[in-house]
């Protein structure tokens, strides 16, 4: 969703927040930036974050590692945990967690952000580190997120005692592909640590805001009306894709986010693991077998080695030490090395293969039984995922831009004038890269070359590469800059919600043995609906069952862009609608009603400022209302209430 408005009305209005603070709550790193709103000449700054890097050692770094370490009760004494603001911190997060976890991975919590948006688990249950022994203390994905935010809040308040973070305007970034439930959980974690003046902003938009800010108003000289900016954000855990169209409004250039990609769990973490397994096979050829925990430890070592080799083409190899738990297991600590050639072959060819734009991710049949874990992308080819995104969003353009791209709806359809046409896909005219993975010229250049070849094949111009951002810090910096945009300073990226949302309607039909009643879908929130707005859903009256457990089924679509609220679908292609987690709820029975009664209702919907979808059922006879919040809260499943 587009940048949201404030999450809640401030309790007092007598003081204006002194700072606009941006927080990049990343999968592998967190960054905090700020802008002094009292100084019209102020620039966005990144705040160095104090953190433990080793027992008893505190350093300040621009990034706080998104890692949480659960030490053994005798592993660290109290004196070795002291931070500038606390002698008894609640948790070991940041660099020390990453460093200790590389040696004892069963005690390390990583990728909490990915777990936070995984609908297949209860994100309030304490189960992280996943798969660790019983003696390791567990926390929930929600609690891990809170602990990262608590550390950032304490670090800020230590540096700015006169301006507590709880009183500032705070913008937290989320992947563009986060659904309403994941956005709601992120906002809940922030509220739980006292951050109530809250805004959520899509990460690719934040990167684009940072580019605008750094251009000093020269961005209008680099893009023009009709340009399509493809934002590719590849971080530690995810690949996030967005398209932004440059349009004109009353003679001024404006930016409109027109599409976002699916939530793709594919990033630097996958690359580290791929390198670790390559070294595992190399050691196996030498007759040295590794245990699973050693592969985990080696994965962390590969991360540091990968960064060193990608950033220094002259460096030929980096030594890797594989820890051992004693002489009975392997005889001694093992040593190997990761070479420049191994990195280039594994990462460039494995994750950024040169493919045609018609080559999309390969989906294989899954095993009937699988370990409970994160739903990682099956296909590691990032270029294939980008090709699929551009092809899927071929219809995302405005009429004027579509004409400029010579859009052919019958491309590649025999007999329809498309025999010689190239495969149809939206053709970006500009590229903005973000994320730590693309700091490597080797990887970013390969990606730019591949996209360029697609455009050459389609007789389109090569895209312009937009530069001028720090790929590690751009998202947080853009978030704090956005605070000024919300005050009317600077250009705003428009867009509204990036999906259409539908509620499932169970068809009324005679029972057929072995067959569930077919499901129809009713559009309750159209594509582009602005946050903070409501809409009536024109349709026939539906029967709402109260007083008994019922299931609400929701769907989302990023391609059905023209459906209005009230559009009724009795058929759709598999790729058009994505089934979202259902909500189980028992709607309350009011006076004069009975349990199990089927109440005729009409529907209305509202998209909150944070991107959560509320569905409202209004009784046709007396106007009573029931609310269902699409936030997939596992403990109560919904915040349904009755007026």
């Amino acid at each position: 969703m587009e940048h949201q408005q404030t999450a809640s009305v401030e309790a007092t209005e007598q003081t204006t927040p002194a700072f606009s603070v941006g927080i990049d709550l990343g999968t592998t790193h967190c960054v905090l930036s700020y802008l002094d709103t009292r100084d019209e000449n102020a620039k966005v700054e990144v705040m160095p974050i104090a953190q433990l890097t080793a027992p008893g050692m505190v350093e300040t770094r621009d990034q706080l590692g998104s890692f949480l370490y659960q030490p053994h009760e005798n592993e660290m004494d109290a004196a070795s945990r002291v931070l500038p603001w606390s002698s008894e911190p609640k948790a070991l997060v940041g660099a020390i967690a990453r460093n200790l976890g590389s040696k004892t991975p069963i005690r390390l919590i990583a990728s909490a952000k990915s777990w936070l948006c995984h609908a297949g688990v209860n994100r309030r249950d304490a189960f992280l580190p996943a798969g660790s022994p019983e003696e390791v203390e567990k926390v929930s994905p929600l609690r891990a997120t809170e602990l990262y935010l608590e550390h950032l809040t304490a670090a800020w308040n230590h540096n700015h005692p006169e301006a507590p973070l709880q009183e500032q305007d705070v913008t937290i970034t989320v992947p563009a592909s986060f659904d309403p439930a994941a956005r709601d959980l992120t906002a809940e974690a922030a509220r739980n640590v006292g951050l109530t003046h809250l805004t959520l902003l899509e990460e690719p938009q934040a990167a684009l805001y940072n580019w605008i800010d750094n251009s000093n108003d020269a961005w209008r000289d680099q893009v023009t009306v009709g340009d399509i900016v493809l934002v590719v954000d590849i971080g530690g855990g995810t690949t996030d894709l967005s398209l932004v169209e440059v349009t004109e409004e009353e003679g001024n250039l404006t930016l409109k986010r027109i599409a976002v990609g699916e939530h793709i769990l594919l990033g630097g973490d996958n690359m580290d693991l791929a390198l670790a397994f390559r070294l595992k096979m190399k050691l196996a050829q030498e007759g040295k077998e590794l245990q699973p925990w050693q592969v985990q430890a080696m994965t962390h070592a590969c991360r540091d080695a990968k960064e060193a080799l990608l950033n220094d083409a002259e460096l030929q190899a980096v030594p890797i030490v594989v820890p051992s738990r004693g002489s009975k297991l392997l005889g001694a600590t093992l040593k190997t090395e990761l070479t420049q050639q191994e990195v280039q072959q594994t990462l460039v060819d494995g994750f950024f293969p040169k493919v045609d734009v018609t080559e999309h991710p390969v989906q294989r049949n899954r095993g009937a039984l699988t370990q409970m874990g994160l739903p990682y992308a099956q296909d590691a080819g990032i270029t294939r995922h980008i090709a699929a995104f551009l092809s899927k969003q071929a219809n995302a353009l405005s009429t004027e831009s579509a004409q400029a791209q010579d859009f052919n709806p019958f491309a590649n359809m025999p007999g329809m004038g498309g025999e010689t046409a190239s495969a149809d896909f939206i053709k970006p005219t500009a590229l903005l890269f973000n994320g730590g993975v693309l700091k490597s010229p080797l990887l970013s250049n390969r990606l730019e070359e591949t996209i360029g070849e697609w455009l050459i094949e389609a007789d389109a111009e090569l895209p312009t590469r937009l530069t001028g951002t720090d790929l590690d810090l751009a998202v947080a910096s853009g978030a704090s800059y956005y605070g000024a945009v919300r005050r009317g300073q600077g250009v705003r990226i428009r867009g509204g919600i990036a999906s259409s949302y539908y509620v499932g309607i169970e068809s009324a039909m005679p029972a057929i043995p072995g067959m569930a009643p077919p499901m129809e879908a009713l559009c309750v929130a159209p594509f582009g609906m602005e946050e903070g707005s409501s809409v009536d859903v024109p349709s026939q009256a539906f029967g709402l069952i109260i007083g008994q457990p019922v299931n609400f089924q929701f769907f989302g679509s990023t391609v059905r862009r023209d459906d209005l609220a009230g559009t009724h679908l009795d058929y759709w292609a598999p790729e058009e609608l994505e089934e979202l987690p259902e909500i189980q709820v028992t709607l309350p029975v009011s006076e004069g009603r009975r349990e199990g009664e089927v109440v005729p209702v009409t529907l209305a919907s509202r998209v909150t400022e944070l991107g959560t979808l509320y569905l409202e059922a209004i009784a046709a006879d007396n106007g009573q209302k029931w609310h269902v919040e699409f936030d997939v809260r596992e403990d109560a499943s919904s915040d349904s209430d009755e007026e």
Side-chain angles (χ1 to χ4, degrees):
M1 324 235 151
E2 201 219 348
H3 32 258
Q4 333 305 344
Q5 307 302 313
T6 50
S8 61
V9 177
E10 288 79 355
T12 59
E13 299 291 345
Q14 65 244 28
T15 59
T16 300
F19 295 96
S20 169
V21 178
I23 296 176
D24 175 7
L25 202 58
T27 308
T28 53
H29 289 97
C30 299
V31 181
L32 188 152
S33 71
Y34 62 97
L35 180 66
D36 189 337
T37 60
R38 301 162 297 185
D39 181 359
E40 62 181 20
N41 297 316
K43 295 292 185 181
V44 172
E45 297 184 53
V46 172
M47 187 187 83
I49 303 164
Q51 57 196 286
L52 287 163
T53 56
M57 181 179 295
V58 175
E59 298 179 36
T60 57
R61 296 184 177 179
D62 285 343
Q63 298 175 302
L64 174 74
S66 303
F67 299 93
L68 170 61
Y69 186 74
Q70 302 289 66
H72 186 275
E73 58 182 5
N74 299 321
E75 189 170 351
M76 291 177 63
D77 59 30
S80 62
R81 303 186 186 201
V82 175
L83 286 165
W85 53 84
S86 174
S87 59
E88 297 181 2
K90 293 181 181 179
L92 293 177
V93 302
I96 189 170
R98 177 173 169 175
N99 294 337
L100 294 177
S102 66
K103 302 177 180 67
T104 315
I106 61 171
R107 294 184 171 275
L108 179 68
I109 294 173
S111 301
K113 180 178 180 179
S114 298
W115 285 106
L116 194 70
C117 67
H118 183 13
V121 299
N122 187 332
R123 289 155 282 188
R124 288 182 175 77
D125 278 355
F127 60 85
L128 297 177
S132 61
E134 289 185 9
E135 67 266 17
V136 178
E137 183 183 354
K138 309 295 193 297
V139 300
S140 69
L142 181 65
R143 180 57 183 155
T145 305
E146 291 173 4
L147 290 170
Y148 301 149
L149 288 171
E150 283 183 3
H151 187 103
L152 294 171
T153 300
W156 169 275
N157 291 345
H158 180 72
N159 289 359
H160 302 87
E162 80 293 346
L165 192 61
Q166 292 86 344
E167 297 176 6
Q168 310 311 308
D169 278 338
V170 177
T171 299
I172 295 178
T173 60
V174 295
S177 51
F178 257 23
D179 66 15
R183 293 168 190 269
D184 187 79
L185 286 162
T186 304
E188 182 180 339
R191 288 192 293 264
N192 287 347
V193 299
L195 306 180
T196 56
H197 303 200
L198 181 65
T199 301
L200 297 184
L201 176 67
E202 293 176 5
E203 290 164 4
Q205 286 194 44
L208 197 59
Y209 275 124
N210 180 241
W211 170 72
I212 292 170
D213 182 31
N214 287 343
S215 73
N216 295 318
D217 286 334
W219 68 272
R220 294 176 178 83
D221 300 327
Q222 300 181 51
V223 294
T224 187
V225 174
D227 276 342
I228 305 297
V229 182
L230 170 63
V231 185
V232 181
D233 185 351
I234 307 176
T238 59
T239 293
D240 210 6
L241 307 172
S242 284
L243 287 166
V244 177
E245 182 179 9
V246 183
T247 60
E248 189 173 24
E249 197 173 284
E250 298 179 354
N252 296 316
L253 286 184
T254 60
L255 298 170
K256 180 181 180 183
R257 194 266 288 111
I258 57 174
V260 301
E262 299 174 355
H263 196 66
I264 306 171
L265 286 183
L266 178 60
D269 291 349
N270 305 68
M271 299 177 186
D272 302 333
L273 189 60
L275 293 170
F277 270 89
R278 178 157 185 158
L279 294 184
K280 178 180 183 291
M281 289 187 289
K282 185 162 71 172
L283 286 168
Q285 291 173 351
E286 301 171 6
K288 302 168 183 175
E289 292 294 333
L290 298 183
Q291 299 295 314
W293 73 270
Q294 290 177 301
V295 177
Q296 282 185 284
M298 190 160 61
T299 301
H300 294 283
C302 284
R303 177 186 293 122
D304 297 329
K306 171 198 70 180
E307 293 170 358
L309 290 164
L310 287 176
N311 293 328
D312 185 358
E314 301 298 319
L315 189 61
Q316 293 304 305
V318 172
I320 300 286
V321 177
V322 185
S324 170
R325 284 181 177 161
S327 58
K328 291 183 180 179
L329 184 62
L330 287 172
T333 298
L334 299 179
K335 295 183 179 179
T336 183
E337 65 177 12
L338 184 65
T339 68
Q340 184 73 242
Q341 182 182 22
E342 288 168 337
V343 167
Q344 294 194 19
Q345 287 178 345
T346 305
L347 303 190
V348 178
D349 297 331
F351 289 87
F352 296 90
K354 282 202 171 184
V355 298
D356 292 333
V357 74
T358 54
E359 293 185 47
H360 296 169
V362 177
Q363 296 294 321
R364 56 178 172 79
N365 289 338
R366 304 296 296 268
L369 296 176
T370 182
Q371 289 184 329
M372 292 303 295
L374 292 170
Y376 291 109
Q378 290 187 28
D379 192 321
I382 291 174
T383 43
R384 283 191 285 268
H385 287 280
I386 296 174
F389 171 62
L390 296 178
S391 299
K392 185 176 183 179
Q393 297 299 337
N395 294 311
L397 293 177
S398 64
T399 303
E400 296 79 6
S401 295
Q403 290 173 347
Q405 292 214 353
D406 296 325
F407 169 62
N408 177 10
F410 305 114
N412 293 335
M413 294 178 61
M416 300 297 289
E419 293 88 341
T420 59
S422 63
D424 189 61
F425 64 101
I426 195 167
K427 301 169 184 66
T429 59
L431 304 175
L432 181 66
F433 292 161
N434 191 61
V437 169
L438 292 177
K439 286 169 61 179
S440 163
L442 196 67
L443 303 182
S444 59
N445 290 342
R446 165 59 77 91
L447 182 53
E448 183 178 10
E449 289 167 9
T450 304
I451 296 173
E453 289 176 5
W454 298 341
L455 295 170
I456 292 172
E457 185 70 23
D459 293 325
E461 294 185 5
L462 288 173
T464 303
R465 176 100 161 259
L466 305 179
T467 58
T469 61
D470 184 316
L471 276 64
D472 282 328
L473 310 177
V475 166
S477 299
S480 51
Y481 170 75
Y482 174 62
V485 172
R486 290 182 55 244
R487 290 180 172 83
Q489 304 168 19
V491 65
R492 183 166 181 165
I493 303 169
R494 302 290 176 181
I497 60 174
S499 294
S500 302
Y501 289 104
Y502 306 77
V503 65
I505 308 293
E506 191 173 285
S507 301
M509 63 176 290
I512 299 175
M515 176 181 170
M519 186 71 72
E520 300 177 3
L522 181 73
C523 181
V524 293
F527 186 95
M529 183 174 173
E530 292 289 338
E531 290 80 6
S533 64
S534 302
V535 64
D536 291 324
V537 182
S539 70
Q540 67 194 65
F542 295 101
L544 182 72
I545 301 171
I546 62 173
Q548 293 181 350
V550 293
N551 298 334
F552 280 88
Q553 182 61 65
F554 286 93
F555 302 88
S557 175
T558 61
V559 295
R560 294 191 64 97
R561 311 170 70 85
D562 298 324
D563 287 351
L564 302 176
T567 299
H568 195 133
L569 305 178
D570 56 10
Y571 171 80
W572 55 87
E575 66 274 8
E576 287 187 294
L577 263 60
E578 177 188 0
E579 189 171 331
L580 302 172
E582 68 179 17
I583 295 176
Q584 298 179 342
V585 64
T586 300
L587 297 173
V589 179
S590 59
E591 186 176 348
R593 307 265 187 204
R594 68 182 186 279
E595 183 179 319
E597 182 176 349
V598 181
V599 181
V601 296
T602 57
L603 302 177
S605 66
R606 175 167 62 94
V607 176
T608 71
E609 291 83 356
L610 291 174
T612 301
L613 175 64
Y614 284 85
L615 187 64
E616 186 176 63
I618 307 164
D621 54 3
N622 63 3
Q624 283 180 307
K625 297 178 182 179
W626 289 266
H627 299 269
V628 176
E629 179 185 358
F630 177 40
D631 67 354
V632 199
R633 292 183 175 176
E634 294 84 354
D635 53 356
S637 291
S638 84
D639 274 353
S640 61
D641 61 83
E642 177 237 342
E643 294 180 356

